[in-house]
Amino acid sequence: MNLLATPSRLDAEAPHQSRRSRTDVAITAIVVLAVLAAIVMGLSTHRFVTLANAKAILTSASLVGIAALGLTLITIGGSAVSLAVSQTVAVAGMVFLSAQSLGLLPAFVIAVVCGTVITGLQGAVVGYAAANPVVLTIAASFAITGVATGVSGGTTVSPTGTGYDVLNATPGGVALSVYVLIVMALVVEWVLRRTGFGRSLYLIGENRPAARAAGLPVGRTTVVAWLAAGALFAVTAAFTAAFNTSANVNLGGTLTFDAIAAVLAGGTPISGGRGSALRTLAGAVLIAAVSDILLLRGYSTGVQIMVKGLIVLFVVVIVHLRAKGRQA
Amino acid sequence: MPSTRTDEPLVRVDGLVKSFGSTRAVRGASFSIAPGEIHALCGHNGAGKSTVVKMLSGQEIPDDGEIRIAGEVRDLRSRQAAQRSGVALVDQELSVVPALTVAENLMLGDLRVGWVNRRRSSGRRFRTLLDSLGLGDIGLDRRVSELSMGERQLIEIARALGQEARLVILDEPTATLSDVESDYVYAAVRNVAAAGCAVLFVSHRLGEVLGLCHNVTVMRDGAVVATTPVAELTIDSLIVQMLGEAPHRLDPRSGDDRGGDADVLTVSGLSVPGRVDAFDITLRAGQVCAVAGQLGSGASDVLRAIAGLVPAATAEVRVDGVAVRPGHPAASAGAGIAFVSNDRKAEGLFLDKPVSWNLLATRLPHVTRFGVINRRRWTATLAGLVELCGLDGRRAGHSVGSLSGGNQQKVFVGRCLGRDDVRVLLLDDPTRGVDVGGRAAIHALLRDAARRGMAVLFSSTELEELLDLADVVVTMHKGVVVQRHEGETAGAVLLREMTHGAATVAEVPR
């Protein structure tokens, strides 16, 4: 009976293989076409291929990118997304500016601690009590805004010193935040690939019950991911506040969804277990570059936002189809 | 009624055949059920019972053979088609919706309830239905979540009957119920039969089969062994029919002294409310112990509770004399308990990840230094494990999901092996869905683990596995330990204890 089983299994697998590869070929073709179209669009756009424009793209990608790196950790770990990014950034930014009288570094440290604690608390509830991260962070975003409004009296915070201006420096003609983005992306990528924490995070993100049954520290790993994410949100906050030279509860603006868009456009699936920091970096740059092309071609803001949505949709569908192809 | 009962069967199954791939799950099943008859379908695991049930209820299409209901050949190619032909299935898993009311649950899947629910007319119909099952005191507007498990099972039966069923199939309806709750089900089943339906009753509990049913069809290896009236059967003759030549283990294991007499695992007073009552066990190093029990016997719950995966469990668990914090899987793992779940996909492997990641998932601290992965140690440990499990080293980078079931299970078991810090290995049905070759390989791995000084505790219902692999077999029935077997053991005894418990053995005529 066993001898009979072998050939029939092989037969059964053969069509699967060919179907999988056909889907793969189709997906690859679509991706290649899309990339070619983008390149053609870029090359044919006046003033797109210039050093100054490259710097502009990177600068506009940098603030969203740093926050998106933090979000990447949350997403890979299977906690979907945090919807409280903007609010956390606003609070950390307000703290950063009002602590300027202590000097730049202490103010920065205080802001990072603030972002870390706020986000880490949410991570603890998600990690240990298995709360739904989406619901929890919606609630948290209201709580954070409420407390911040109460404490600040609803006013705009002005800097109490001038140390913050260092963050607006442009060494080598490129904004400081771009260097920070690149360094942070490399650090996060290294942590994900080379540390036990990174491995656990991928495993927990892929199958949380299995990780639990295997005795992995599910709660602790999740909390560490959220803590790190909070620190990265605070870094974004410091740069955003320094750039604006003032901060109120709306400092974060549309950052939450911009960061989510960057993570998704990089091809990190929302369900967790896969993805990387470098992908998120690419996603942030991709969105910034496409917005830049549209801007240079004179399209309105409305069109830019709509295209951002289409990019996210496109990548998410491609990622989904590829994942399905792998399972088949 | 009695005349129709003998002359004209209501349901007649003739020569059903079904293959999956090259495996013939059912090779010619024939039997018939008269109106008003309660007909039992028995057989050991893998005998083909559930495949027959699936074919009758339209979930699988037979390769050959016919199903006649009231004399007509029926083509049951979907659950809806089966329902329209009057076949109702009460599944092993409860499918009532706790958040809905009794009436709303009864309406689900009822073909006569139209797009617009007509509550009032169906209400009257449902009321008489519930009354006929002895559920007169249950209001139609009660939420199902307020009902006991037994009552929920009855609602399930009521729903099946509400579809104007002529054949009602009950697939292990009492497996997870207490005695009192089971009694309600028996009464309901008798009512159903008295109303003229044919009932097919699938069960592992031989006592209830003999007490409730009129005729028993026993299947073995996909074929029907015999259909016998219960009056001519005893528990023992039924077991002989189910097993054929009963497997038997003669020589007691010589290995009891190999690990010294150090107690590795001590469990006392393990209870899971409604599932397990006061379970005790002590395991020495090098011992392989089995907890034998059917679905709902609590065997699986015992293992899960020791692994810390049952928050409601109370127990005192000690590993090498050190108490383990209950209800925390990470604490159990830290104390040296490794658990292999019976659900490899949902609670076991990380299917999307490479074999290497899966094998090393539980020992990340050992391959990292200050949290950073040490590549040399990673490669060395991986190579050792791949060798130990007999896997193909070239596939270490492939995703586990691309391996065969047997190899996946090897990875799953293998990730707990070859470590000094794992003292106890718990395996919940370790060879479920694994072919013969893979099974032998996994057994070899487990014996090897025991020889290296681990204590191995596994649950199983497979007699051959229990007899081949275990030094000690503890049988369980309805949440309590029936008997502990060491040394010479007969398969028939194990099967009887698993299916019938201990208390009633004396009542059975020899």
Side-chain angles (χ1 to χ4, degrees):
Chain A
M1 210 158 98
N2 233 0
L3 288 173
L4 285 172
T6 321
S8 84
R9 267 238 295 284
L10 287 175
D11 285 347
E13 240 163 56
H16 263 281
Q17 291 268 317
S18 73
R19 201 189 319 141
R20 191 196 309 178
S21 60
R22 219 179 300 145
T23 329
D24 260 0
V25 167
I27 292 170
T28 314
I30 291 171
V31 171
V32 168
L33 281 178
V35 170
L36 280 178
I39 291 174
V40 171
M41 278 279 283
L43 290 177
S44 64
T45 303
H46 183 56
R47 282 192 295 139
F48 179 74
V49 200
T50 59
L51 198 59
N53 192 43
K55 288 176 187 170
I57 291 174
L58 283 175
T59 307
S60 72
S62 62
L63 294 182
V64 170
I66 296 170
L69 288 175
L71 203 58
T72 308
L73 292 172
I74 291 177
T75 307
I76 289 178
S79 314
V81 290
S82 164
L83 293 180
V85 180
S86 301
Q87 289 75 10
T88 310
V89 164
V91 168
M94 289 160 81
V95 168
F96 176 67
L97 287 188
S98 38
Q100 281 303 316
S101 53
L102 303 173
L104 172 67
L105 199 63
F108 184 73
V109 170
I110 292 171
V112 167
V113 168
C114 170
T116 309
V117 168
I118 293 175
T119 314
L121 281 176
Q122 297 165 51
V125 182
V126 171
Y128 287 107
N132 180 323
V134 172
V135 174
L136 180 80
T137 54
I138 288 176
S141 69
F142 285 112
I144 295 167
T145 306
V147 171
T149 310
V151 171
S152 69
T155 58
T156 297
V157 177
S158 300
T160 53
T162 53
Y164 69 87
D165 213 33
V166 175
L167 297 186
N168 291 329
T170 52
V174 177
L176 184 61
S177 56
V178 173
Y179 296 99
V180 173
L181 171 68
I182 291 168
V183 170
M184 284 298 162
L186 292 175
V187 169
V188 173
E189 184 71 15
W190 181 83
V191 167
L192 283 173
R193 282 197 193 184
R194 287 270 162 263
T195 65
F197 162 76
R199 288 282 146 99
S200 317
L201 196 65
Y202 279 111
L203 294 176
I204 292 166
E206 183 183 326
N207 191 340
R208 197 177 154 122
R212 212 171 95 83
L216 288 176
V218 175
R220 195 175 71 214
T221 307
T222 307
V223 170
V224 171
W226 284 69
L227 286 172
L232 286 162
F233 296 160
V235 172
T236 294
F239 277 105
T240 313
F243 181 74
N244 289 349
T245 68
S246 69
N248 62 17
V249 289
N250 296 321
L251 181 72
T254 59
L255 189 65
T256 301
F257 288 107
D258 290 342
I260 294 174
V263 172
L264 294 178
T268 297
I270 199 84
S271 49
R274 286 212 300 274
S276 78
L278 296 184
R279 277 171 167 273
T280 298
L281 179 63
V285 171
L286 173 72
I287 288 180
V290 172
S291 299
D292 181 75
I293 291 176
L294 295 171
L295 189 72
L296 289 176
R297 290 193 157 227
Y299 287 102
S300 66
T301 319
V303 175
Q304 290 178 39
I305 294 173
M306 195 185 76
V307 170
K308 200 189 288 184
L310 290 177
I311 293 173
V312 171
L313 191 64
F314 176 77
V315 175
V316 169
V317 168
I318 292 287
V319 166
H320 176 72
L321 288 178
R322 287 199 52 185
K324 251 176 78 176
R326 209 170 303 150
Q327 270 162 24
Chain B
M1 194 68 122
S3 64
T4 54
R5 204 176 130 174
T6 44
D7 297 336
E8 172 97 348
L10 179 59
V11 178
R12 188 188 192 93
V13 174
D14 239 336
L16 282 188
V17 174
K18 179 74 192 177
S19 304
F20 297 105
S22 61
T23 321
R24 290 188 111 187
V26 174
R27 49 183 97 194
S30 311
F31 55 88
S32 55
I33 314 175
E37 178 186 341
I38 306 175
H39 193 103
L41 187 59
C42 293
H44 199 47
N45 293 340
K49 296 174 310 229
S50 44
T51 311
V52 168
V53 167
K54 282 187 176 153
M55 287 191 279
L56 280 171
S57 57
Q59 297 173 78
E60 296 283 356
I61 299 166
D63 298 337
D64 199 10
E66 330 180 299
I67 298 168
R68 285 167 192 271
I69 295 174
E72 274 177 65
V73 178
R74 300 288 176 148
D75 183 16
L76 309 175
R77 46 182 59 257
S78 69
R79 280 222 41 182
Q80 279 90 334
Q83 240 180 65
R84 274 193 294 271
S85 305
V87 180
L89 171 67
V90 179
D91 224 327
Q92 258 170 22
E93 307 286 326
L94 275 181
S95 60
V96 286
V97 185
L100 297 182
T101 65
V102 172
E104 284 162 345
N105 266 291
L106 291 173
M107 280 182 215
L108 291 178
D110 188 333
L111 297 174
R112 273 175 307 162
V113 176
W115 288 101
V116 181
N117 291 341
R118 280 165 303 170
R119 275 172 172 277
R120 220 173 329 143
S121 62
S122 356
R124 225 172 297 127
R125 189 158 55 87
F126 291 154
R127 189 70 266 164
T128 44
L129 191 63
L130 290 182
D131 291 346
S132 72
L133 288 177
L135 287 175
D137 54 335
I138 289 182
L140 285 173
D141 294 324
R142 287 255 311 266
R143 283 200 191 285
V144 168
S145 54
E146 298 166 18
L147 305 181
S148 72
M149 293 312 283
E151 289 169 325
R152 290 185 202 189
Q153 183 68 274
L154 290 179
I155 301 290
E156 183 104 34
I157 295 173
R159 183 161 78 197
L161 292 178
Q163 296 156 5
E164 291 200 335
R166 284 182 286 184
L167 168 63
V168 178
I169 306 173
L170 298 119
D171 195 357
E172 296 198 41
T174 57
T176 53
L177 301 185
S178 70
D179 283 350
V180 183
E181 290 170 330
S182 302
D183 282 340
Y184 285 123
V185 174
Y186 301 149
V189 169
R190 287 198 182 95
N191 281 342
V192 170
C197 284
V199 177
L200 186 64
F201 192 86
V202 183
S203 178
H204 270 128
R205 295 188 173 175
L206 301 184
E208 69 182 19
V209 165
L210 293 185
L212 179 69
C213 303
H214 301 124
N215 292 302
V216 184
T217 292
V218 175
M219 291 186 70
R220 188 168 74 222
D221 298 332
V224 167
V225 177
T227 299
T228 326
V230 279
E232 300 166 19
L233 281 172
T234 62
I235 297 267
D236 289 315
S237 62
L238 204 49
I239 287 175
V240 169
Q241 284 191 356
M242 283 165 68
L243 289 183
E245 218 165 292
H248 200 264
R249 186 177 74 192
L250 281 175
D251 55 323
R253 293 292 155 119
S254 54
D256 278 8
D257 43 31
R258 66 189 157 214
D261 353 52
D263 288 346
V264 176
L265 175 73
T266 321
V267 178
S268 50
L270 190 157
S271 295
V272 181
R275 297 288 211 153
V276 182
D277 196 26
F279 180 91
D280 297 319
I281 200 167
T282 303
L283 282 184
R284 278 170 292 158
Q287 223 173 15
V288 181
C289 177
V291 187
Q294 304 284 3
L295 175 76
S297 66
S300 161
D301 302 87
V302 165
L303 298 186
R304 299 184 64 83
I306 298 174
L309 287 164
V310 185
T314 51
E316 200 193 315
V317 178
R318 287 175 179 276
V319 176
D320 288 331
V322 183
V324 181
R325 191 172 162 214
H328 288 267
S332 295
I337 299 175
F339 175 66
V340 175
S341 160
N342 62 8
D343 195 340
R344 196 170 60 221
K345 284 205 172 73
E347 209 181 40
L349 294 172
F350 305 94
L351 291 178
D352 207 29
K353 295 284 173 279
V355 172
S356 55
W357 285 46
N358 274 284
L359 279 173
L360 299 175
T362 52
R363 65 188 92 204
L364 286 171
H366 299 262
V367 293
T368 54
R369 182 179 279 172
F370 307 118
V372 180
I373 288 168
N374 181 324
R375 270 197 239 188
R376 206 157 36 85
R377 238 187 265 176
W378 173 278
T379 327
T381 317
L382 179 64
L385 274 174
V386 165
E387 166 91 47
L388 180 72
C389 305
L391 293 161
D392 185 353
R394 284 165 299 177
R395 300 191 71 173
H398 293 216
S399 77
V400 162
S402 69
L403 300 183
S404 72
N407 280 333
Q408 286 186 11
Q409 193 71 10
K410 276 192 219 166
V411 172
F412 195 6
V413 175
R415 77 176 189 198
C416 309
L417 303 177
R419 293 164 60 184
D420 297 332
D421 57 332
V422 171
R423 304 291 295 136
V424 182
L425 187 52
L426 305 173
L427 305 105
D428 195 358
D429 211 349
T431 55
R432 174 190 280 191
V434 174
D435 63 15
V436 182
R439 175 171 303 199
I442 287 163
H443 286 181
L445 282 177
L446 296 182
R447 264 194 226 106
D448 189 51
R451 205 171 313 130
R452 288 162 197 253
M454 277 189 199
V456 179
L457 181 64
F458 70 97
S459 79
S460 179
T461 51
E462 301 275 348
L463 286 177
E464 283 170 36
E465 180 163 85
L466 293 169
L467 295 173
D468 280 356
L469 189 59
D471 301 320
V472 179
V473 180
V474 175
T475 48
M476 285 189 77
H477 184 67
K478 296 185 182 173
V480 292
V481 171
V482 181
Q483 189 60 260
R484 185 185 155 96
H485 299 269
E486 230 162 321
E488 190 175 338
T489 317
V493 175
L494 292 184
L495 183 60
R496 178 204 284 167
E497 287 172 1
M498 278 195 275
T499 51
H500 200 62
T504 43
V505 168
E507 298 164 15
V508 177
R510 300 256 164 137

